[in-house]
Amino acid sequence: MKEPAFSTRSAIVFAAAFLGYFLLSRNDHTAYNNFVLLADAWLHGHVWIAKPESWIDALPYNGHWYIINVPIPAVLLLPLVAVYGANANQTIVSVLCGAIAVAAADVTFGRMGVSAFWRGRLTLFFALGTVLWWCAANGAVWMYAHVVAVMFAMLALAEWYGRRRPWLLGILLACAVYSRFPMVLAVPPLLVWLWLSAPAERRWRDLASFAYGFVPFVAASLGYNYLRYGSVMDVGYTLFYHMDAVGGGGKQYCTSCTYTGSPTGSPFALQFLAKNLYSFFMLPPQLIDQAPYFQLTGQGVALTFTSPLLFLALAAPVRKIESIVMWAAALLVAVPSLLYYLNGCEQFGMRHSLDFTPFLMVLLARGVERVPLLLSLVLLAYSLAANLFGMIHPFTPVPCG
Amino acid sequence: MNRWTGLIYVAAVFVFALAAYLASSGGADTLYNNYVRLADAWLHGRVWVNYAGPGIDALRYQGHLYIIEAPLPALLVLPLVAIFGLGANQALVCVFCGAAAVAAAYVMLGRLGVSQSVHVWVLAFFAFGTGLWWCTAFGAVWMFAHVAGVMFAMFGLVEWYGKRRAWLLGLLLSCMALCRFPMAIAALPFLAWLLQETPSRERLRVLAGAVAGALPLFALYVVYNELRWHTAFDIGYTNWYHLDPAGHPTGSPFGVQYLPLNLYSFFLLAPAYAQHFPWFVPTGIGVALTFTSPGMALAFFAPLRNREAIWLWVAVLLTWLPSLLYYVNGAEQFGMRHSLDFLPFLLPLVARGLEHRPSVFAYSLIVLSIAVNAWGLWYSWAFHGFTVVPRR
């Protein structure tokens, strides 16, 4: 009997996560409410926004200003914006999505058959031992996009370990992709698994069913691009990158940057790999000579120091199709972040890690019971403490790049 | 395996380690040859040295200059100094000690009774996945003291997992402690463990044996202190701390206020990022064990609920304690050289851990440790990364 999606347990998990996230968000409105501005624009019948404040990542193009981020998070805000207009609270929706993601993770672990001992602890880790906590409570445009993508990815995984309806997987993965575009790279390995796990006579039908859920979003996205840029291609990030150079004048808040964009070329390049590897694995907090002794900077903190329990994903059985698919998904999704020109700066932890965290959570659930309990519990306790530290102590802003 | 075959294997491990460490050291001597100067002083009938060039930790006290480090490594260079005088190559003796430590680790792991695969993997980790490699390659005063301390500790563990003769354990313990003072604290858990496993009627005899083994060198050390400081206690480090710009004019070099620095150093201190090749650059004050020796985490894989694990963990934690409270983290180093104080006691736990839970993940940690230490060594030579690296 598969774990039901809606149960008393999942309701309690959702409520607890919502309350925890909500209290630490202090119900603040974020200044980086790009998706509210976008939703408001849509409700006024256009895809461009009015000239925004300098801190809003918006691209001036052909006489209008456009939000460059992929649009699904704005779709989720539509009801609230319809009621409150541009005063709608983006952060509260971020908190809501974060709580749904936590409940979905708990259901996923249940459906995976994770032991009761670890199911609760892994849910706790996912909620409070990863940067999901900080991002959900922060609610700024970049963090909110991550949280929404994680929510859809976790919902997709819950469905994957449940009834595995291809059309629903298609919809959920499309929503994840159009919340954080790097997640598109998780689709091929999951499709391969879907193909391999289906009886031969059902394979083509499943694939078509998946496309039935997925393709409408692609079509809508292409149309949205055409409305913004006069092309079906999403040129927003590249154009933004061209303006995000020192003296480029595109972003006023980042004029002190020394290593941001470039007037030409792609925002993805091999030359950024070292910096991103450093950010994901080595970037430490700074040591100061007074309490609390560790100073966070806006550059972030490596996963090694914020969520080391994630490394136990490496202990998952290597030769299982599940591990191969999840590793493929996690690694492929990480590639864009590893090659991007910024590490996600102005953050606690490494927010880009949320792109692959859902897939690592599956691997972690398989791996955690294969290492000694003491080690797992120490890493769990440390991860929770480190993320609590990040919630309590604000980081010192530093130039991006 | 008969006795002779066993000896051949040990010799082969020693020769291999010697060759690898010698190649890593480039055969070059060190400018920080405090122990050569000390041995030379002894051979000239005095306990003070007559030179304190840049980098030589020598304390001016009542008109003379004294080497403050624990003195036993000077005893190891004594024969070479007797022949070559101040031209004796301290780094070469360090290489020799490092290779001897690896050979001893080979024997110790054999006596632990772990599988052949675990034996090889843990030995490789010890020799090339820990700070032992880098310290052996650059035998400056501080590194040489560590390597000599590790060597005696490994000899002690060989005896511990062998005949366990109390007098020999006492002697080796005193040698180890007089290379690196923090290692002296390991005497407490090992003595307790020894007595726990000794029939009650024999305890007094065993205790007397251990004391008899340890006493001669400690007695000599007291005399040495009397000659230098006119007190039985070693006040060298404290006085040095009072004069050191990084220290403080009063108080002890050990304090709780230094705990954050050392915790940061052991666990969080990352290489720096550079925007050009090789992109990741070790800092001048070390790199945390998290990056250089993640294989140490395999010690957590060892079953906990047995006497061996408990006493070894106590030894690890106790020998670690002084480094956690010391006012400097061992600056001018790759990795964390202070970790060599507890490495010997951690090694059996790593072996038990790998034996208990072998996995791709576990082996990956060892491979990563070796790769990072190889990078540290390469960086040191290629970029003259630290002042202790000889200029070629």
Side-chain angles (χ1 to χ4, degrees):
Chain A
M1 173 89 183
K2 284 288 181 192
E3 178 83 20
F6 300 99
S7 63
T8 309
R9 179 186 170 106
S10 59
I12 291 170
V13 170
F14 168 78
F18 182 82
L19 197 66
Y21 286 170
F22 179 73
L23 289 176
L24 280 155
S25 79
R26 295 174 303 218
N27 197 27
D28 283 348
H29 282 245
T30 176
Y32 304 97
N33 62 344
N34 306 27
F35 287 118
V36 169
L37 301 178
L38 183 57
D40 191 53
W42 290 348
L43 290 172
H44 285 85
H46 47 84
V47 293
W48 45 265
I49 61 170
K51 186 181 179 188
E53 301 288 350
S54 60
W55 56 82
I56 298 288
D57 280 0
L59 179 74
Y61 189 78
N62 282 345
H64 285 300
W65 291 81
Y66 295 96
I67 295 295
I68 59 170
N69 310 77
V70 281
I72 285 288
V75 175
L76 300 187
L77 278 162
L78 277 171
L80 219 60
V81 174
V83 178
Y84 297 104
N87 290 323
N89 188 345
Q90 183 175 290
T91 306
I92 191 89
V93 182
S94 174
V95 163
L96 185 75
C97 293
I100 293 172
V102 173
D106 185 65
V107 171
T108 303
F109 299 142
R111 290 179 174 181
M112 285 174 69
V114 174
S115 69
F117 180 86
W118 273 111
R119 182 180 172 184
R121 283 164 179 80
L122 285 177
T123 303
L124 185 70
F125 167 72
F126 180 64
L128 305 179
T130 70
V131 287
L132 181 65
W133 189 6
W134 185 83
C135 285
N138 181 286
V141 53
W142 313 280
M143 294 55 166
Y144 171 50
H146 278 293
V147 174
V148 174
V150 167
M151 174 185 74
F152 283 117
M154 283 317 306
L155 288 169
L157 287 170
E159 176 63 18
W160 185 270
Y161 287 101
R163 294 173 66 181
R164 205 175 283 193
R165 288 162 289 190
W167 64 270
L168 186 51
L169 288 170
I171 290 173
L172 292 170
L173 285 174
C175 288
V177 167
Y178 288 108
S179 299
R180 280 284 303 169
F181 206 68
M183 284 202 168
V184 73
L185 293 171
V187 175
L190 289 170
L191 275 183
V192 168
W193 196 9
L194 185 68
W195 176 270
L196 293 175
S197 62
E201 70 278 8
R202 235 183 56 197
R203 284 176 174 166
W204 284 108
R205 202 185 68 192
D206 279 2
L207 214 55
S209 176
F210 180 88
Y212 183 70
F214 194 86
V215 170
F217 288 87
V218 178
S221 168
L222 297 179
Y224 179 55
N225 290 338
Y226 189 79
L227 287 174
R228 288 186 296 174
Y229 308 123
S231 156
V232 292
M233 305 301 288
D234 190 344
V235 295
Y237 271 95
T238 303
L239 292 180
F240 191 78
Y241 169 71
H242 293 169
M243 300 177 65
D244 199 8
V246 176
K251 291 173 71 183
Q252 294 162 33
Y253 76 93
C254 208
T255 49
S256 60
C257 297
T258 55
Y259 192 60
T260 52
S262 169
T264 57
S266 165
F268 300 94
L270 208 53
Q271 78 206 64
F272 306 124
L273 177 64
K275 172 74 180 185
N276 285 305
L277 283 174
Y278 184 81
S279 299
F280 275 118
F281 295 112
M282 300 182 211
L283 184 61
Q286 292 173 349
L287 181 70
I288 52 173
D289 57 7
Q290 60 197 25
Y293 301 106
F294 305 117
Q295 174 68 57
L296 304 170
T297 78
Q299 279 291 334
V301 180
L303 279 178
T304 313
F305 303 121
T306 57
S307 306
L309 187 69
L310 276 179
F311 286 94
L312 297 190
L314 289 163
V318 178
R319 290 177 194 164
K320 284 192 168 178
I321 179 77
E322 178 188 56
S323 298
I324 294 168
V325 167
M326 289 300 155
W327 272 119
L331 293 174
L332 285 172
V333 162
V335 169
S337 298
L338 287 172
L339 301 178
Y340 197 53
Y341 76 108
L342 292 174
N343 74 348
C345 68
E346 290 304 307
Q347 60 186 337
F348 165 71
M350 278 295 127
R351 64 178 175 85
H352 285 173
S353 69
L354 287 181
D355 290 344
F356 51 80
T357 295
F359 312 108
L360 282 189
M361 288 305 300
V362 171
L363 292 161
L364 175 62
R366 297 295 186 215
V368 73
E369 293 191 274
R370 291 159 55 91
V371 297
L373 184 63
L374 176 68
L375 179 64
S376 316
L377 291 179
V378 165
L379 293 178
L380 171 64
Y382 172 85
S383 300
L384 296 175
N387 281 276
L388 178 64
F389 185 90
M391 290 303 299
I392 294 171
H393 296 96
F395 55 76
T396 307
V398 292
C400 306
Chain B
M1 189 186 297
N2 67 37
R3 183 181 170 82
W4 287 107
T5 315
L7 276 174
I8 289 169
Y9 273 108
V10 176
V13 169
F14 174 76
V15 169
F16 177 78
L18 188 70
Y21 285 161
L22 197 60
S24 306
S25 77
D29 197 4
T30 174
L31 287 174
Y32 304 91
N33 61 347
N34 305 30
Y35 285 120
V36 167
R37 294 180 183 284
L38 183 57
D40 186 63
W42 290 350
L43 288 172
H44 286 84
R46 50 187 156 79
V47 292
W48 44 268
V49 297
N50 53 14
Y51 171 81
I56 298 288
D57 283 359
L59 179 71
R60 188 170 289 282
Y61 189 76
Q62 296 187 352
H64 287 301
L65 288 164
Y66 295 98
I67 298 296
I68 58 169
E69 283 84 11
L72 198 121
L75 216 56
L76 300 177
V77 297
L78 208 61
L80 225 56
V81 175
I83 299 168
F84 299 105
L86 285 172
N89 188 337
Q90 179 180 294
L92 212 58
V93 182
C94 183
V95 163
F96 188 87
C97 291
V102 174
Y106 172 79
V107 178
M108 188 271 288
L109 290 166
R111 290 184 177 180
L112 277 182
V114 292
S115 68
Q116 199 170 6
S117 156
V118 169
H119 198 157
V120 172
W121 277 91
V122 175
L123 190 68
F125 169 68
F126 176 67
F128 302 111
T130 68
L132 183 65
W133 190 6
W134 192 86
C135 283
T136 304
F138 304 110
V141 51
W142 311 280
M143 294 69 191
F144 177 36
H146 277 293
V147 173
V150 168
M151 178 185 72
F152 284 116
M154 292 316 304
F155 288 165
L157 286 168
V158 166
E159 180 62 18
W160 182 264
Y161 287 105
K163 290 182 173 173
R164 211 176 272 196
R165 285 160 289 190
W167 67 270
L168 187 51
L169 288 170
L171 177 65
L172 291 169
L173 176 99
S174 64
C175 291
M176 172 184 88
L178 292 176
C179 290
R180 283 287 302 169
F181 294 132
M183 294 180 115
I185 314 177
L188 297 175
F190 275 91
L191 193 63
W193 188 4
L194 183 66
L195 293 177
Q196 195 177 19
E197 296 195 346
T198 303
S200 55
R201 62 182 181 284
E202 288 183 37
R203 281 183 184 157
L204 204 61
R205 186 182 61 80
V206 165
L207 189 63
V211 171
L215 203 58
L217 281 177
F218 281 125
L220 276 176
Y221 173 57
V222 169
V223 172
Y224 180 55
N225 287 337
E226 280 286 353
L227 289 171
R228 290 186 299 171
W229 325 118
H230 311 298
T231 163
F233 295 102
D234 193 341
I235 58 171
Y237 270 96
T238 304
N239 282 357
W240 179 262
Y241 169 73
H242 294 166
L243 296 170
D244 191 348
H248 196 270
T250 57
S252 164
F254 298 95
V256 180
Q257 71 267 31
Y258 304 123
L259 184 61
L261 163 74
N262 287 302
L263 284 175
Y264 185 86
S265 300
F266 275 110
F267 294 114
L268 278 77
L269 184 58
Y273 173 73
Q275 294 191 13
H276 48 75
F277 182 80
W279 297 290
F280 310 130
V281 179
T283 77
I285 56 167
V287 178
L289 294 179
T290 313
F291 302 106
T292 59
S293 299
M296 283 185 179
L298 295 179
F300 283 105
F301 288 37
L304 245 188
R305 290 179 189 164
N306 61 76
R307 194 178 289 166
E308 179 193 42
I310 291 167
W311 286 122
L312 285 171
W313 273 115
V314 172
V316 167
L317 295 174
L318 285 178
T319 46
W320 193 2
L321 195 61
S323 302
L324 287 173
L325 301 177
Y326 197 52
Y327 76 108
V328 285
N329 73 347
E332 272 308 304
Q333 62 186 332
F334 174 75
M336 278 292 126
R337 63 179 173 85
H338 285 172
S339 67
L340 293 186
D341 290 343
F342 59 79
L343 172 67
F345 314 113
L346 198 72
L347 202 65
L349 291 166
V350 170
R352 296 284 188 221
L354 191 60
E355 181 88 342
H356 185 56
R357 303 251 188 170
S359 64
V360 174
F361 175 57
Y363 291 117
S364 305
L365 292 180
I366 292 179
V367 171
L368 183 62
S369 303
I370 294 172
V372 172
N373 279 279
W375 163 70
L377 192 76
W378 166 79
Y379 179 86
S380 302
W381 279 115
F383 295 89
H384 192 261
F386 305 90
T387 56
V388 295
V389 177
R391 290 208 180 268
R392 292 201 272 197

